[in-house]
Amino acid sequence: MPAVTVDNILALPRLADTAPGATARPVLAVTTAPTGYEGEGFPVRRAFAGIDMGHLDPFIHMDQMGEVNYAPGEPKGTPWHPHRGFETVTYMIDGTMEHQDSNGGGGVISGGDTQWMTAGGGILHIEAPPEHLVMSGGLFHGVQLWVNLPKNNKMAAPRYQDITGSKVALLSSPDGGALIRVIAGELDGHHGPGSTYTPITLLHATVAPGASVTLPWNPEFNALAYVLAGDGAVGTERRPVHMGQTTVFGRGDTITIAAADTQDSRTESLEVFVLGGKPIREPVAMAGPFVMNTKAEVIQAFEDFQAGRLGSIPAAHETIAPESSE
């Protein structure tokens, strides 16, 4: 699992030791993601399945895409499809994905890169592996997260952020046992490059076997941790977790994550996607690719899409019919 790595983790800035009197967040629940398929048929794990929306706010949906090793001709993506009312965040760990949208945004992301698309008032986009990867096959692994937009920003102008892995903030735990990549938001005074409408923190932590890390966490944010690979434990109660499981933490000041002493043959360390944000606390009306505040607004989004008001497919792709998909 390459993502972004370093030769000498001890040369990185280090998290401060836990502040005296800090309250550890308790583990409220651990859920296991069911598997499914998305787009043209690539395998996913539905990370938020079974979790109450009250614990997710401001997040809506998250898929772990892969990990899958495609044979030649097998790599798949998603066709052109619309979105309105939220942001999509695609983080690539292994493999390569191309993005293009009706607002002129686009780029290629690979190991450790992130594409951050604000759908806002409406956009069409497509995500697919490049042709050379389709021909050759190869490893594909990533995460796609949906971040809700507050009512006042739901109709914001669409935008696209191409966040290369070289831009993320890299930190070490005090003892060097964990590498932390801050993609967006702030952790212990260190800021990730992602610009967000909704206050959030988003990071990918690699914890070496037998090591643990305690992350200071904004007490106004909720807190979730999804295991991308490996085995470990969460919370001061050391609740066991493994690949494909999401931990919901309660209120407090810190999050503790530990790696098991030994890992399976597929991974060297515990890999965890950690996220939290300030809840929006607004009504959510969601249908397919639209996340709005009311049912009437969702119906209007479908009508606007069908009338072509959410954008046009660029001429080079106009023969590909858009679909209502992720």
Side-chain angles (χ1 to χ4, degrees), residues 1 177 206-209 229-231 259 263-264 266-272:
M1 182 174 293
T206 299
V207 188
D231 299 291
Q263 299 293 327
D264 61 41
R266 299 178 63 251
T267 182
E268 296 181 357
S269 304
L270 175 68
E271 305 283 350
V272 187

Side-chain angles (χ1 to χ4, degrees), residues 15 169 171 182 185-192 216:
L15 292 175
L171 308 173
V182 185
E186 176 270 338
L187 183 72
D188 195 30
H190 301 273
H191 295 264

Side-chain angles (χ1 to χ4, degrees), residues 116 159 161 163 167 182-185 191-196 200:
W116 199 297
R159 69 177 181 181
Q161 300 176 69
I163 303 171
K167 296 177 182 177
V182 185
I183 300 167
H191 295 264
S195 175
T196 72
I200 67 172

Side-chain angles (χ1 to χ4, degrees), residues 78-159:
T78 62
W80 283 94
H81 56 280
H83 288 306
R84 172 181 281 179
F86 65 103
E87 300 181 289
T88 67
V89 181
T90 304
Y91 174 60
M92 289 301 297
I93 299 167
D94 289 293
T96 304
M97 181 74 79
E98 291 182 334
H99 166 95
Q100 187 172 7
D101 63 53
S102 56
N103 195 49
V108 179
I109 57 173
S110 55
D113 298 340
T114 302
Q115 63 180 22
W116 199 297
M117 187 187 76
T118 303
I123 201 168
L124 306 179
H125 81 141
I126 186 172
E127 295 168 302
E131 184 62 28
H132 70 86
L133 183 59
V134 174
M135 297 298 293
S136 66
L139 191 61
F140 179 84
H141 189 198
V143 174
Q144 184 169 96
L145 171 71
W146 291 11
V147 185
N148 198 9
L149 286 171
K151 181 178 181 179
N152 290 341
N153 300 124
K154 283 199 175 293
M155 299 300 286
R159 69 177 181 181

Side-chain angles (χ1 to χ4, degrees), residues 155-246:
M155 299 300 286
R159 69 177 181 181
Y160 176 80
Q161 300 176 69
D162 183 10
I163 303 171
T164 61
S166 62
K167 296 177 182 177
V168 303
L170 300 179
L171 308 173
S172 165
S173 58
D175 65 358
L179 170 64
I180 300 137
R181 310 159 185 86
V182 185
I183 300 167
E186 176 270 338
L187 183 72
D188 195 30
H190 301 273
H191 295 264
S195 175
T196 72
Y197 281 94
T198 308
I200 67 172
T201 294
L202 182 64
L203 62 88
H204 172 192
T206 299
V207 188
S212 67
V213 60
T214 297
L215 305 171
W217 209 251
N218 188 327
E220 294 185 351
F221 286 10
N222 59 7
L224 305 156
Y226 178 78
V227 180
L228 296 164
D231 299 291
V234 288
T236 55
E237 56 267 61
R238 296 188 65 86
R239 178 88 171 263
V241 290
H242 57 74
M243 178 182 179
Q245 291 192 313
T246 302

